[in-house]
Amino acid sequence: MKPQSQSALAHTHAVREQLAYQGRNYFLIYHFHHVPSSAQATESSEPQVSSIPKRMHSLAATYNMMDSSSDFPYSAHHLQRWFGLNDFVVLGPGADAACEDSEVSQLLSTLSIVLQHCKSPVAVFVPVGDRWKGVYVGYAKEDGVEIRLRSDLYDFIPRSLRHAQLEGLLDLYLNRLGVVNYVSADSSHLSSISDLNISVRYTFMRAKWSGKKWRQDVKLMDAPLNERNESRKTGYFEPGLMWGTHEDPIQALHLAQTWRGIPVNPRRQALIDFPWGAPPYLSIRSLYKDKTMCYLTEALRTLLTAYRQSKFFTHMDQLKISSAGTATLEAMGTLTRSLATTIRPAHFPSAEEIDALIRDIFSENRKWNEHQTIDEPEKKIKAAPAGSLLSSLAAALLNLDGIHAIGLVWTEFVTEVKWHWENGVCLPRTTFPPISYNTALMYQKLQLLNYCISQQNAANKQDTYPNKTVLSKANKLEAASSLQYDGQDDLEEVEDGWSGSDLDELESEMKDKQALDISSESRQGDTKLVDGARLLANKMPLCVPETQDVGYMTEDVLQQTEELFADLGSTSEGAKIRAIIQSASLFSDMQAFKAANPGCVMEDFVRWHSPSDWVQEPKAIFKEKQKATDEKEKETEAPKNNQELPIRPWDMGDGTIGYLSYRMRVADSLWIRKWNEAEPIPASKQPALFNYQKEGQAVIDYLVSITPSKLMEQMTRVSLSCIYHSLECLDCMRIPIVQVQLRTLFKVFTDSSLSGITEEEAEVMCSAVGQFEVLASRASSLLIKLPGEYELVGELLGERGELPLQSTQQQETAQLVFSGEPVDAQEYIFRSWAKRPVATARKATPQRMYALLTNHEFRLSTACTSC
């Protein structure tokens, strides 16, 4: 027989075999229970009371029966709980058929003969009647000791147990041992009973929470980092994004009070010696609901379905609603969850509903850290920063049902973006360049559009702050120069609307302007002086020119440029075109430099533009190098390298000589050619290197013409990142097991290519989200019920199941939770040694009885031995 199942939680194993006899099927199951050393070490923290006398013989079944340390196992097989047996065999009819009394006797007799023949001490059980009642009879034998086992279920609780339960149960126990009434029994009967002890467990259950919320409020990204795990970056939860199970995943909490192996005097009518005042061993366990539905899992599954559907459409116009197809589309898509209070169920979103959603996405009131860096999730998933405009759109798509609804929302989103472009209003919650190539291409496009809008505003000199006069540096300088600056009174005339830093900058620029008194009229496009630097030829102050902004390229444009360079090949014509493209910015800077610095030479430009190519060393060292070079050339008589221009030294006036590096002295190099071609033209009069109007319109065209499949491919990635960041900032992320599950979820996200994703791959992702969502929901609910007990909740979520409450704080928290709750179940275990079946038997043998009392159940399970 091969092992059929194994439960790591209960450490129980079972081996099943199917049998057929006289046309009827039977099952034969061998159960064996194993407690690993780690669990034993954990249990050692509980006070143990030895109830096994030294005279205990080696029979495994009786040893387990009398071992109080294994009383009330939380998830073992019910027979193990009732009789304390770790190993046993169950034989019964298959298909949950009832077993008649005659058949029970036959099966038990057959098993007994077989086990005796095998000399096996393992107990055997046969179910009696309907299987659901849990009525069993059993038998075991070794070393001449017979063990009769029986478990009975009663429909009512005897009257003797209603007021004095413990005394009544002791009466039942002694009655099972053959002592009819222990109160009136003679001393010979009572003297045959020794080492009587009792284990008691009272279980309190709380399943109702009087409408108390179970899902924790998330902490947004501005929450202090020390309130969560310090090793993590702060997450961001998208407003309106529903997460967790639909209902409280906690079915009930159980608190158990346990006393183990308490000695009892059988001669006392009232069990006044039982230590009710002694502190019990407290333990807690949680029961969870099965097959709970989860919001994020359903939303992601719907989004991935829309992603696969998008491949059947080639352009967005195919997703538009037609009057003839409205009824069909209403059945195909609906806007749900985030706008559930305003949207009619099972209807395609109306114009008013879409407008409300777009206003929410573009809201300026959302909290967002514009200075945040691109986190690891965005780098690996290529998404968008948490809380950004694109992230908010992705969260909204998770609340849509159907590709047609997504297409309609996207169309309105693009319309809103076009309005921002046409009216010069920057997009909210979208960072400015440099472009983040680790993010989604869509986010890069929005970054570029924001930059184009800012450039457009600067060109149009739009006033961003209407209550403050803002002047450009040139206008400030011109205004200041027109004044007779001879005191604070004159300066106050240009001070209105400027900050202290503006005034300091103004004073510095005024001094620079006064230093340009020589040939100032010939300078064009200069911005400021370089401290102490002068032109090499005419010793005029060196000025930093106003240069053009070269703009930015998104990932797709950058790739197209690289492909263009590759297509040009290595021909001379291709090299020339490639040089023109690559040197456009350099050529523009050279022209601006010449305009701002009349009489300059190429060495001046290199000193400013590429300082690493300007060599400056003491005169003595320079002369020694030159002398050594000349002598070497004479000795070798080697011809001079026509590809290298001779060094043109410049006396820097501080005892050093400066000259160009070898790279800059290569004959007919790009730098030399462009310098010779450059004319003194200020940047303001040059052709624009970056056409913000053209590039901004190109972004709009990209958003309008994107195909549904390309859109869904990018937005699905952003939605995954949105899910990750939203879950990351939950308070239950303090719990290690939840952190591990989130890392597992993140790995599933990053391992998915999202390119041609199959239904099976989508299900893997949804399953991973569902597993985390259930775990996080359980953790969140437990933290609401057990506030502040992160360690205890983490253990309850693990595989241990029932946990001891060791600290005073944990015990006080648990008692507060179960305050006022009645006892849900009472369990008693009576143990003793007694001579049976008569008081004159050869020796005393171990005896045991288990009793369970609830509001609807009374069970007795006895294990009586004799020799």
Side-chain angles (χ1 to χ4, degrees):
M1 295 186 293
K2 297 182 179 180
Q4 182 199 33
S5 63
Q6 176 177 342
S7 172
L9 182 65
H11 308 293
T12 57
H13 304 251
V15 180
R16 174 185 287 266
E17 184 73 19
Q18 294 288 343
L19 304 175
Y21 177 70
Q22 293 184 350
R24 189 172 184 180
N25 294 326
Y26 294 87
F27 65 87
L28 180 68
I29 306 177
Y30 173 46
H31 296 271
F32 54 102
H33 183 86
H34 172 68
V35 179
S37 58
S38 60
Q40 291 175 346
T42 302
E43 291 293 337
S44 64
S45 60
E46 175 192 352
Q48 298 293 327
V49 179
S50 176
S51 61
I52 304 177
K54 295 181 180 180
R55 66 177 182 270
M56 182 70 192
H57 54 77
S58 60
L59 186 60
T62 53
Y63 179 89
N64 293 331
M65 286 166 44
M66 305 301 287
D67 183 12
S68 62
S69 65
S70 61
D71 287 346
F72 315 115
Y74 71 92
S75 60
H77 192 278
H78 47 272
L79 289 175
Q80 197 274 339
R81 187 179 186 91
W82 298 341
F83 298 100
L85 302 176
N86 289 340
D87 300 347
F88 52 91
V89 174
V90 179
L91 175 63
D96 293 331
C99 197
E100 302 297 335
D101 292 342
S102 58
E103 188 178 12
V104 169
S105 301
Q106 183 180 6
L107 292 177
L108 188 61
S109 176
T110 302
L111 276 178
S112 302
I113 295 173
V114 171
L115 292 178
Q116 289 182 22
H117 179 74
C118 298
K119 298 182 179 180
S120 172
V122 177
V124 294
F125 288 93
V126 175
V128 180
D130 295 328
R131 190 89 50 83
W132 62 268
K133 292 183 178 180
V135 178
Y136 290 86
V137 293
Y139 177 83
K141 183 177 182 180
E142 183 176 316
D143 294 340
V145 177
E146 287 188 347
I147 308 175
R148 299 286 179 177
L149 305 133
R150 184 173 184 87
S151 177
D152 294 302
L153 178 65
Y154 300 93
D155 296 333
F156 63 94
I157 298 177
R159 181 176 300 177
S160 60
L161 303 181
R162 294 178 183 176
H163 302 289
Q165 291 180 350
L166 199 56
E167 292 86 344
L169 288 173
L170 181 58
D171 191 10
L172 283 175
Y173 174 65
L174 296 176
N175 187 278
R176 292 293 178 98
L177 296 183
V179 181
V180 178
N181 190 328
Y182 75 92
V183 176
S184 59
D186 56 32
S187 60
S188 62
H189 282 85
L190 293 178
S191 62
S192 66
I193 301 174
S194 61
D195 298 320
L196 176 63
N197 64 82
I198 305 176
S199 294
V200 179
R201 165 167 289 199
Y202 291 162
T203 301
F204 301 85
M205 182 183 72
R206 183 168 181 182
K208 297 181 180 180
W209 305 93
S210 64
K212 187 177 182 180
K213 67 177 183 179
W214 65 267
R215 186 186 288 107
Q216 288 180 312
D217 295 331
V218 298
K219 297 181 181 294
L220 298 182
M221 63 183 306
D222 57 342
L225 187 61
N226 58 10
E227 291 188 7
R228 296 191 298 278
N229 189 343
E230 295 181 356
S231 64
R232 296 187 302 105
K233 292 187 177 181
T234 304
Y236 179 84
F237 195 93
E238 284 290 347
L241 189 64
M242 292 293 292
W243 74 279
T245 55
H246 289 194
E247 58 182 354
D248 191 346
I250 306 300
Q251 180 175 333
L253 287 181
H254 286 180
L255 177 67
Q257 296 178 341
T258 306
W259 294 264
R260 299 180 188 270
I262 305 300
V264 175
N265 185 350
R267 291 183 173 85
R268 302 291 296 272
Q269 180 178 3
L271 298 176
I272 58 176
D273 293 336
F274 195 83
W276 294 111
Y281 166 70
L282 297 179
S283 59
I284 191 172
R285 64 176 297 201
S286 56
L287 301 180
Y288 305 111
K289 296 177 182 178
D290 297 329
K291 299 180 179 180
T292 53
M293 303 294 290
C294 301
Y295 288 109
L296 274 182
T297 305
E298 295 174 5
L300 180 60
R301 181 175 285 109
T302 302
L303 184 68
L304 291 175
T305 300
Y307 169 68
R308 294 194 299 273
Q309 293 174 348
S310 67
K311 298 182 181 299
F312 299 101
F313 302 92
T314 57
H315 51 83
M316 286 295 175
D317 290 341
Q318 294 176 321
L319 301 179
K320 291 184 178 179
I321 313 174
S322 63
S323 58
T326 301
T328 303
L329 291 178
E330 286 180 351
M332 295 177 63
T334 180
L335 189 61
T336 58
R337 289 178 287 275
S338 68
L339 298 177
T341 58
T342 60
I343 295 178
R344 301 179 303 276
H347 282 276
F348 198 78
S350 66
E352 293 78 11
E353 295 161 352
I354 295 297
D355 183 62
L357 181 60
I358 294 299
R359 287 200 307 270
D360 182 59
I361 293 173
F362 282 85
S363 173
E364 296 280 359
N365 298 326
R366 291 196 179 197
K367 295 180 180 180
W368 184 65
N369 182 9
E370 61 181 344
H371 302 294
Q372 65 179 317
T373 57
I374 302 301
D375 204 354
E376 195 65 21
E378 289 85 5
K379 292 180 180 179
K380 292 189 175 181
I381 304 178
K382 288 187 75 70
S388 62
L389 176 67
L390 195 63
S391 178
S392 299
L393 174 63
L397 296 187
L398 284 169
N399 289 327
L400 296 173
D401 189 3
I403 185 63
H404 292 274
I406 292 175
L408 181 56
V409 171
W410 171 254
T411 301
E412 294 301 319
F413 177 83
V414 173
T415 301
E416 187 69 16
V417 171
K418 289 172 64 177
W419 181 91
H420 280 72
W421 163 244
E422 294 169 355
N423 291 273
V425 180
C426 290
L427 298 174
R429 305 191 312 283
T430 303
T431 58
F432 286 89
I435 299 294
S436 305
Y437 294 113
N438 291 320
T439 58
L441 179 60
M442 187 75 66
Y443 185 73
Q444 298 176 33
K445 295 290 185 182
L446 296 180
Q447 278 187 297
L448 181 59
L449 182 62
N450 242 13
Y451 176 72
C452 293
I453 294 174
S454 66
Q455 290 296 100
Q456 177 179 265
N457 293 341
N460 297 333
K461 298 181 181 179
Q462 292 185 354
D463 190 359
T464 309
Y465 303 96
N467 296 327
K468 178 180 177 181
T469 302
V470 180
L471 299 177
S472 65
K473 289 184 178 180
N475 291 335
K476 289 180 182 180
L477 194 56
E478 182 179 354
S481 300
S482 65
L483 299 176
Q484 298 297 324
Y485 177 60
D486 57 0
Q488 181 66 25
D489 295 337
D490 293 330
L491 185 60
E492 290 178 354
E493 295 183 23
V494 295
E495 182 177 315
D496 186 24
W498 296 352
S499 65
S501 60
D502 291 332
L503 295 176
D504 294 339
E505 183 180 359
L506 175 61
E507 292 183 32
S508 176
E509 292 181 349
M510 288 175 61
K511 295 177 181 179
D512 291 344
K513 192 68 175 180
Q514 295 171 1
L516 302 179
D517 54 350
I518 302 177
S519 302
S520 59
E521 295 181 359
S522 62
R523 293 179 182 273
Q524 302 180 64
D526 58 296
T527 58
K528 66 178 181 178
L529 296 175
V530 178
D531 293 339
R534 291 186 175 271
L535 300 179
L536 297 174
N538 57 18
K539 305 305 179 183
M540 294 281 291
L542 191 153
C543 295
V544 176
E546 180 181 353
T547 58
Q548 288 199 64
D549 198 335
V550 297
Y552 300 91
M553 289 189 293
T554 55
E555 188 175 15
D556 58 336
V557 177
L558 185 62
Q559 183 177 358
Q560 292 173 7
T561 304
E562 293 175 352
E563 293 175 355
L564 174 61
F565 288 162
D567 294 340
L568 291 175
S570 57
T571 63
S572 59
E573 186 67 23
K576 185 179 297 185
I577 298 174
R578 185 163 47 247
I580 294 175
I581 298 175
Q582 292 177 325
S583 63
S585 176
L586 176 64
F587 186 68
S588 174
D589 292 347
M590 286 179 174
Q591 289 184 314
F593 189 85
K594 282 188 175 183
N597 297 277
C600 65
V601 293
M602 180 177 172
E603 284 83 345
D604 295 318
F605 178 76
V606 172
R607 289 164 61 200
W608 167 70
H609 199 281
S610 181
S612 61
D613 286 308
W614 178 249
V615 182
Q616 194 168 329
E617 55 193 15
K619 291 181 180 180
I621 296 177
F622 174 76
K623 290 179 179 180
E624 291 178 2
K625 286 185 177 180
Q626 286 298 101
K627 184 178 179 180
T629 302
D630 294 342
E631 291 177 355
K632 185 177 181 180
E633 290 178 354
K634 290 179 180 180
E635 291 177 0
T636 58
E637 296 182 355
K640 292 186 177 180
N641 186 3
N642 295 328
Q643 297 297 323
E644 179 183 355
L645 297 178
I647 293 177
R648 184 166 61 174
W650 295 88
D651 189 348
M652 304 304 295
D654 58 355
T656 61
I657 296 295
Y659 57 92
L660 295 176
S661 66
Y662 170 77
R663 186 172 76 96
M664 291 298 169
R665 290 185 285 109
V666 176
D668 198 33
S669 67
L670 176 65
W671 281 64
I672 294 177
R673 291 201 316 269
K674 291 301 177 182
W675 178 261
N676 293 332
E677 295 173 5
E679 298 291 337
I681 304 175
S684 60
K685 298 181 180 180
Q686 296 176 15
L689 293 177
F690 179 78
N691 190 332
Y692 62 84
Q693 292 180 340
K694 176 183 176 182
E695 296 298 330
Q697 188 58 44
V699 172
I700 298 297
D701 294 341
Y702 171 83
L703 299 179
V704 171
S705 62
I706 190 172
T707 63
S709 59
K710 290 295 184 182
L711 171 66
M712 292 303 300
E713 181 178 341
Q714 294 189 58
M715 294 310 300
T716 302
R717 290 194 184 100
V718 182
S719 296
L720 294 180
S721 176
C722 176
I723 290 174
Y724 175 82
H725 279 295
S726 296
L727 297 177
E728 185 188 26
C729 65
L730 300 178
D731 187 55
C732 61
M733 283 300 298
R734 297 187 187 184
I735 302 174
I737 189 175
V738 182
Q739 297 176 21
V740 172
Q741 190 68 31
L742 183 64
R743 289 194 293 268
T744 302
L745 174 62
F746 178 63
K747 187 177 185 304
V748 172
F749 284 172
T750 54
D751 289 346
S752 177
S753 63
L754 293 179
S755 178
I757 185 171
T758 63
E759 186 174 354
E760 291 75 17
E761 292 171 334
E763 191 58 36
V764 170
M765 297 175 62
C766 294
S767 176
V769 174
Q771 291 176 9
F772 178 87
E773 212 168 352
V774 169
L775 181 66
S777 298
R778 291 175 176 177
S780 179
S781 179
L782 287 173
L783 287 174
I784 290 291
K785 298 169 176 58
L786 304 169
E789 297 294 341
Y790 293 95
E791 182 179 357
L792 178 62
V793 170
E795 293 176 341
L796 286 172
L797 295 173
E799 296 184 350
R800 294 185 57 186
E802 185 173 285
L803 299 172
L805 298 177
Q806 298 176 345
S807 68
T808 304
Q809 176 63 35
Q810 290 179 349
Q811 295 177 6
E812 291 177 352
T813 301
Q815 291 174 354
L816 183 64
V817 170
F818 291 90
S819 176
E821 295 291 332
V823 177
D824 182 70
Q826 303 175 54
E827 297 175 273
Y828 303 87
I829 297 178
F830 294 82
R831 293 185 181 87
S832 69
W833 290 77
K835 293 181 179 181
R836 291 189 71 256
V838 294
T840 58
R842 181 166 52 90
K843 63 179 180 179
T845 54
Q847 317 294 330
R848 169 186 169 117
M849 185 183 77
Y850 168 88
L852 169 66
L853 292 89
T854 68
N855 292 332
H856 52 79
E857 182 180 2
F858 173 50
R859 178 178 298 277
L860 282 179
S861 301
T862 56
C864 298
T865 63
S866 61
C867 62

